[in-house]
Amino acid sequence: MSNSIPGSVRFDGVVKKFGAVTALKKLSLAIEPGQLVTLLGPSGCGKTTTLRLIAGLETASEGSIFIGGEDVTRLSATYRKVSMVFQSYALFPHMTVLENVAYGLTVKSVPKKEAQERAEEGLSLVGLSDFGGRIPSELSGGQQQRVAVARAIVLEPEVLLLDEPLSNLDAKLRRHVREEIRQIQQTLGLTAVYVTHDQEEAMAVSDRIIVMRNAEIAQEGSPHDLYERPNSSFIADFIGDANLIDCEVLSLNGSATRIEVVSKCIELPIQPGQTGAAKMVLRPHQIRLSRDKSQGEFEGNITYAAYLGNQIHYSLDGELGQLFAISDATLDPLSVGENVSINFDPQKLRLVAN
Ligand SMILES: Nc1ncnc2c1ncn2[C@@H]1O[C@H](COP(=O)(O)OP(=O)(O)OP(=O)(O)O)[C@@H](O)[C@H]1O
Ligand SMILES: [Mg+2]
C-alpha cells in the first residue's frame, strides 16, 4: 500500500442538474490530502451526487473539479484515481474474498501474482487474513464491508470515497467498523470523502465535516467548530442535541452580549450577530436542575424521566418552553411531576440567527 499518494479534491462552482432538479447549487469546496472529510446532511441534500461527481460517475453541469491539482471535470471514471465503497458492499458473490479484493487489480492488468500479494496485504489491513478462501455469503455484514474497504484500498486510490458504508450494520458493529475505517485511513494517510446522515458517526470519524442542506453547504469545519460555533439553528440542532430558545439580543458591546429571555436579562460572552430576535442554543448537558428554587432563574416541571445507567434524560415544560436535559445519574434523581429550578452557565451559551 506504499504507492498511494493522497490527492486533494477541489470543487469550483460545481452545479449539478438532473433535468428540472438542481441537485447541487454552485458548490465550492476544498479537501486537503490525507484528510477524512464527511459530507453530512438530511436525505436528498446532494451528498451522493457530490461523491459521484468526484468519482466521475456524474458529469458537472457547470464548474470545475480537481483531483490532486489536475482538472478532471471531463475525465471519465475509468481514468480517475479514486475508489468507492458502497453501502451495499457490492461484492461478487461467486468469487472468493481474496478474488474479490484482487479483482480491480486484475482488471488494471496487474500481474496475477502481484495482485494476489497486494490483495493479501489488503485483507491483512482489515484483519481478515484468514478469510481469503471464503465466499462473501460465508461472512458477517461487518466482515463483508471490511472486504469492500480492502478491495477499494488495494487500488491505491488518490481519494477513497465511502457512501454510507455502515448503514447495513447494526449499531454495535457500526461503531467498531467506523473505528477501523478511520484507523486504516490514518495509517495509510489516505484522502477520504465519507458520506453519512448520522451526525454522531460524522463527529467520530472526521477531520472536517461539510454539512449540506438543500443542495448547498450549510456550514463546514472541524467537529469541534460545528458543535461550539454553529452558524444557524439548523446546524445547532443537527450537530449534537440542542434546545433552541427564543430570545431578544438587546445589545452587543465590546465585551458582552446582553439578551432577554422570558423577560429576564442574561449577559453572555460577546457573540457574532446583531440586535433583535435570535435563538439561544442550550445543550442538554449544560442544564442543571434542582429542587432548590434559589438555584436557578427559571422554573419547569419534569414531564418525563428516563434512567439510562450513567445518565438520566429529562423532558421539562416551563418558562423556557419544552426542554430536553441530561443529568448525571449519580445525582439525586428527580421524578415526573416535580417542579424544579433550571440553571445554566451563560458563558457556555451560543446564539444563532432566528
Ligand atoms: N439520476 C437522478 N435523476 C434525477 N434526480 C436525481 C438523480 N440523482 C439524484 N437526484 C436528485 O438529486 C437530489 C440529491 O440526491 P442525492 O442522491 O445526492 O441525495 P443524498 O444527500 O445522497 O440523499 P440520501 O441521504 O437520501 O442518500 C435529490 O433531490 C434526488 O432526488
Ligand atoms: Mg445518498
Side-chain angles (χ1 to χ4, degrees):
M1 290 320 111
S2 50
N3 300 332
S4 91
I5 301 162
S8 57
V9 177
R10 187 153 66 84
F11 274 36
D12 255 1
V14 173
V15 175
K16 179 63 191 173
K17 291 185 179 150
F18 294 105
V21 179
T22 301
L24 290 180
K25 297 176 200 161
K26 258 199 181 331
L27 194 74
S28 293
L29 57 83
I31 296 171
E32 299 291 320
Q35 283 207 331
L36 190 155
V37 173
T38 295
L39 305 175
L40 173 69
S43 185
C45 68
K47 306 180 294 293
T48 296
T49 302
T50 306
L51 215 59
R52 291 174 61 83
L53 280 161
I54 300 172
L57 299 170
E58 302 289 355
T59 312
S61 310
E62 281 175 40
S64 306
I65 299 173
F66 300 84
I67 297 177
E70 185 195 349
D71 187 340
V72 298
T73 317
R74 304 281 149 214
L75 194 67
S76 82
T78 326
Y79 298 104
R80 296 197 191 181
K81 298 187 193 87
V82 302
S83 339
M84 191 134 161
V85 175
F86 299 93
Q87 173 178 346
S88 59
Y89 323 143
L91 300 177
F92 300 114
H94 56 282
M95 288 186 191
T96 66
V97 163
L98 191 68
E99 286 164 351
N100 262 285
V101 177
Y103 180 78
L105 295 168
T106 321
V107 168
K108 293 199 166 183
S109 311
V110 173
K112 194 158 183 251
K113 185 157 175 293
E114 188 191 335
Q116 178 146 350
E117 280 168 11
R118 280 167 64 180
E120 276 165 2
E121 200 185 330
L123 279 179
S124 133
L125 259 172
V126 298
L128 290 176
S129 290
D130 298 335
F131 294 75
R134 295 201 194 176
I135 58 169
S137 62
E138 293 167 343
L139 301 182
S140 72
Q143 289 166 338
Q144 290 185 48
Q145 194 52 297
R146 278 144 69 189
V147 175
V149 170
R151 184 180 57 178
I153 58 182
V154 295
L155 296 172
E156 297 173 349
E158 281 186 34
V159 184
L160 177 67
L161 306 173
L162 305 110
D163 193 359
E164 310 234 12
L166 310 181
S167 49
N168 283 346
L169 308 179
D170 67 50
K172 263 221 170 98
L173 206 52
R174 271 211 288 273
R175 197 189 187 105
H176 184 69
V177 178
R178 84 184 182 204
E179 282 166 11
E180 241 172 34
I181 289 175
R182 175 62 160 159
Q183 231 159 34
I184 292 168
Q185 177 266 332
Q186 287 184 317
T187 308
L188 300 180
L190 289 168
T191 307
V193 187
Y194 189 108
V195 165
T196 180
H197 57 254
D198 179 333
Q199 64 91 16
E200 190 201 297
E201 189 177 315
M203 301 278 279
V205 300
S206 312
D207 292 303
R208 291 175 70 74
I209 301 175
I210 297 176
V211 187
M212 297 179 67
R213 184 192 196 189
N214 298 336
E216 56 192 348
I217 295 177
Q219 191 176 355
E220 59 178 295
S222 67
H224 186 264
D225 284 342
L226 294 174
Y227 187 79
E228 293 295 336
R229 283 178 289 281
N231 68 4
S232 65
S233 51
F234 169 75
I235 297 290
D237 198 33
F238 204 73
I239 304 289
D241 287 312
N243 296 286
L244 296 169
I245 298 161
D246 286 322
C247 65
E248 181 83 16
V249 179
L250 302 174
S251 64
L252 302 98
N253 63 39
S255 61
T257 296
R258 275 172 71 79
I259 62 169
E260 187 179 87
V261 184
V262 266
S263 68
K264 287 179 180 130
C265 279
I266 302 177
E267 274 205 358
L268 321 182
I270 189 77
Q271 305 272 320
Q274 54 204 23
T275 55
K279 283 200 187 320
M280 177 174 105
V281 179
L282 185 55
R283 303 284 183 193
H285 64 266
Q286 293 172 341
I287 299 176
R288 288 188 300 277
L289 303 174
S290 169
R291 289 189 182 97
D292 179 355
K293 296 291 161 44
S294 68
Q295 291 297 307
E297 295 260 9
F298 302 96
E299 284 188 23
N301 232 298
I302 309 274
T303 56
Y304 180 78
Y307 174 77
L308 299 178
N310 57 342
Q311 297 176 331
I312 307 181
H313 288 189
Y314 294 110
S315 297
L316 294 112
D317 213 350
E319 286 172 285
L320 296 173
Q322 293 195 334
L323 292 184
F324 171 52
I326 299 178
S327 286
D328 206 326
T330 55
L331 302 175
D332 190 13
L334 301 163
S335 311
V336 171
E338 279 196 82
N339 197 260
V340 293
S341 66
I342 298 167
N343 192 14
F344 47 83
D345 179 0
Q347 294 296 314
K348 302 247 167 72
L349 289 180
R350 296 287 175 266
L351 296 182
V352 288
N354 211 356

